[in-house]
Amino acid sequence: MQILRIDSATTGDQSISRKLTGQITEHLLARNPGASLVSRDLVSDPLPHIDEVTTAAIRTPPETHEGAVAAAFPAERAVLEEFLASDIVVIGAPMYNFSIPSQLKAWLDRLGVPGVTFRYSSNGPEGLAGGRKVIIASSRGGAYETGGPAEHQESLLKIFLGFIGVEDVTFIRVENAGRGADAIEQGFAQAKEAIAAL
């Protein structure tokens, strides 16, 4: 088993989502002693936002690549292969300005690959990247209804993952972090129970 841990919070040791991804992966490794852990920190080792070259490397058939696109392809595809090789993916996803950090969006952009993680059929889009479990470590300053008018964080992740075929998605969250230490402590206590149930 391979577990992939993704962190995207820019707040370092103060990050709630990083504490959650750490607790979740620690629990998963204890439950699966033979598992390997691969970690990707999108802040200390950021992926650039996609541009004309990387978009072509990600979204067009490799046999058509030339020049800069061909040179960019191995690194771009490696991000996707890391995801596809993982049985469980733990994603640290704080809410920043009602959505996810741009670092995390740049990572997602490497996963949406036509013909590899999704395709269009006569019945509409079909996800091809199922067969793995994704656990989202979500942190937010307030309490939000998922899919509500001001929430574009958890809903974005659920829609994107569903689009590429990942239906086994669990959210473990600490909400109301902006309300102070007591609210954060309460959030972590609830998260601990959810982690134990994994």
Side-chain angles (χ1 to χ4, degrees):
M1 174 185 288
Q2 178 169 299
I3 300 168
L4 174 61
R5 172 181 172 176
I6 302 292
D7 283 300
S8 65
T10 61
T11 48
D13 293 340
Q14 301 303 310
S15 167
I16 291 172
S17 68
R18 287 177 183 269
K19 291 174 184 174
L20 284 176
T21 58
Q23 292 173 5
I24 293 166
T25 53
E26 182 179 325
H27 172 79
L28 293 172
L29 289 170
R31 291 281 305 270
N32 303 279
S36 61
L37 176 64
V38 176
S39 296
R40 181 177 285 273
D41 190 325
L42 298 172
V43 176
S44 64
D45 187 18
L47 295 166
H49 292 170
I50 56 174
D51 58 19
E52 185 177 357
V53 170
T54 52
T55 297
I58 293 165
R59 299 183 64 83
T60 61
E63 61 271 17
T64 67
H65 295 171
E66 296 179 353
V69 175
F73 175 75
E76 297 302 316
R77 182 53 68 96
V79 177
L80 172 62
E81 294 297 339
E82 184 178 74
F83 173 80
L84 294 177
S86 300
D87 303 284
I88 303 176
V89 182
V90 180
I91 302 173
M95 175 185 275
Y96 285 2
N97 300 313
F98 309 109
S99 188
I100 60 174
S102 62
Q103 291 89 343
L104 183 54
K105 176 60 166 60
W107 179 74
L108 293 178
D109 287 337
R110 271 77 180 179
L111 306 187
V113 181
V116 180
T117 58
F118 72 92
R119 65 184 173 199
Y120 290 103
S121 69
S122 58
N123 296 321
E126 177 185 355
L128 304 174
R132 70 204 75 254
K133 179 175 184 60
V134 173
I135 303 166
I136 310 290
S138 170
S139 59
R140 335 201 247 204
Y144 296 85
E145 176 188 357
T146 300
E151 192 281 311
H152 308 285
Q153 170 220 15
E154 292 186 3
S155 56
L156 183 154
L157 291 164
K158 186 171 184 179
I159 290 168
F160 176 82
L161 291 166
F163 181 79
I164 65 171
V166 180
E167 301 294 340
D168 189 354
V169 180
T170 299
F171 289 91
I172 295 178
R173 65 181 65 89
V174 172
E175 293 192 297
N176 290 315
R179 298 183 183 274
D182 288 345
I184 293 172
E185 183 178 354
Q186 181 180 358
F188 271 112
Q190 294 171 343
K192 184 176 180 180
E193 293 180 5
I195 293 168
L198 289 172

